[in-house]
Amino acid sequence: MTTLRLAQGATASRILGIGSFQPERIVTNDELSQTMDTTDEWILERVGIAERRFAAKDESLVDMAVIAGANAVADAGLAPSDVDTVILANCTMPTPIPNGAAQVADRIGVKAAGAFDLNAACAGFCYALNLASDLVRAGSARRVLVIGAEKLTDWIDPVDRANAIIFADGAGAAVVGPADEPGIGPVVWGSAGDVVDLIGMRDGVIYQEGQSVFRWATTQIAPIALRALAVAGIEPSDVDVLIPHQANLRIVESIAKKLRAKGAREDMVVADDIVYSGNTSSASIPMAMDHMRAAGLVKPGDVALLVGFGAGLSYAGQVVICP
Ligand code: UT7
């Protein structure tokens, strides 16, 4: 009988480096209130966003992903040739083919990369991070560049005040590679396809039933985050940093409050990147981590709890050790 040889993977995986990119143009609430019926007060109070970034017309999702990805590779102290696989999480590519990941890999200089896009909307980065970790541990890849990038402004009705004030553009990335000690915990992921109609695209623009999604996020996501801790063998009090998808500051605060009720520390750092970045879907978690590290709020070795959630409805969460 012929026996196939199996790939030999690493004992464990970890995040080796992170990076991000935001377009130059800052859009304030006051600017938006000039073109739609909204106010700075309403947006700050209901969503917590003070300003966000919009990409230029000729600045693509791939352009942003390339810069974030290259920054993460450099942060890991690696050359592009050290990476062999690129996963681009997104839900806003202008066309389904060609995929973005192969273009990003080529432009960064990752030759002949295994490259594919992954769509789990705002949960996409956490899905892709888990996949990268599994690929490294199974021996299918040595080092994986995981990017979450979105150009949501291509898909927004600019006068739809419910969505145009929330969504924004940007990219965040992480390099995942082998490790002796686990740096990426098991994922808790899932979906609620029975409520798929709550967020989607209609006539080429995003719609969402905001209040229903809000209720789902504020009731379902904290228990998922707690399960991610449990499967990693981590107590709530061990969490140094909480980085939920940046959908609405009130959702972030609700998740933090529920975790603190279960023993998370008062001094646990809670990501509030949405205030200056808006909701960037799959980019929001890695971008928040990168910004928080630059601000000194996240240190190498910190225990971070990530949890993404959004259209699908899909969710995914895991514990990571910050690079
Ligand atoms: O990232 C993917 C996952 N997405 C989410 O997690 C988003 C979850 N949902 C939310 O964050 C919130 O539901 C929204 C931010 C989308 C909306 O906030 P809300 O507090 O739920 O507002 P609402 O839709 O219940 O609207 C309340 C009122 C309405 O007016 P009436 O009917 O009470 O007179 C809206 O027409 O606020 C009005 N409104 C606005 N007013 C000023 C809605 N958008 C605006 C606005 N400015 N931009």
Side-chain angles (χ1 to χ4, degrees), residues 5 29 34 61 81 84 106 116 140 215 220 230 284 321:
R5 193 183 305 153
N29 295 339
Q34 285 162 24
L61 186 158
S81 55
D84 54 22
D106 181 66
F116 58 95
S140 304
R215 264 196 306 278
Q220 304 300 311
S284 83
I321 306 299

Side-chain angles (χ1 to χ4, degrees), residues 115-179:
F116 58 95
D117 289 15
L118 179 155
N119 181 355
C122 307
F125 179 78
C126 292
Y127 269 79
L129 188 65
N130 180 60
L131 203 51
S133 171
D134 286 356
L135 292 174
V136 168
R137 292 192 308 117
S140 304
R142 177 85 181 145
R143 293 192 195 86
V144 185
L145 175 58
V146 180
I147 307 171
E150 305 285 2
K151 189 175 181 185
L152 284 140
T153 50
D154 274 350
W155 301 93
I156 287 170
D157 174 353
V159 293
D160 169 11
R161 66 179 182 170
N163 289 304
I165 57 136
I166 300 174
F167 291 114
D169 304 326
V175 179
V176 175

Side-chain angles (χ1 to χ4, degrees), residues 302-321:
D302 278 356
V303 175
L305 172 58
L306 317 182
V307 60
F309 52 89
L313 301 179
S314 301
Y315 54 83
Q318 67 264 89
V319 177
V320 303
I321 306 299

Side-chain angles (χ1 to χ4, degrees), residues 95-96 172 193 268 277:
T95 55
M268 173 179 71
S277 301

Side-chain angles (χ1 to χ4, degrees), residues 36-39 42-43 46-47 122 161-163 165-167 199 208-215 217 245-248 250-251 279 281 309-311:
M36 69 189 84
D37 184 14
T38 191
T39 60
W42 191 95
I43 300 171
R46 305 301 296 172
V47 200
C122 307
R161 66 179 182 170
N163 289 304
I165 57 136
I166 300 174
F167 291 114
I199 310 176
Q208 65 172 323
E209 291 183 29
Q211 279 194 8
S212 304
V213 180
F214 186 91
R215 264 196 306 278
H245 165 50
Q246 302 287 290
N248 182 323
R250 288 189 296 140
I251 297 176
N279 178 339
S281 189
F309 52 89

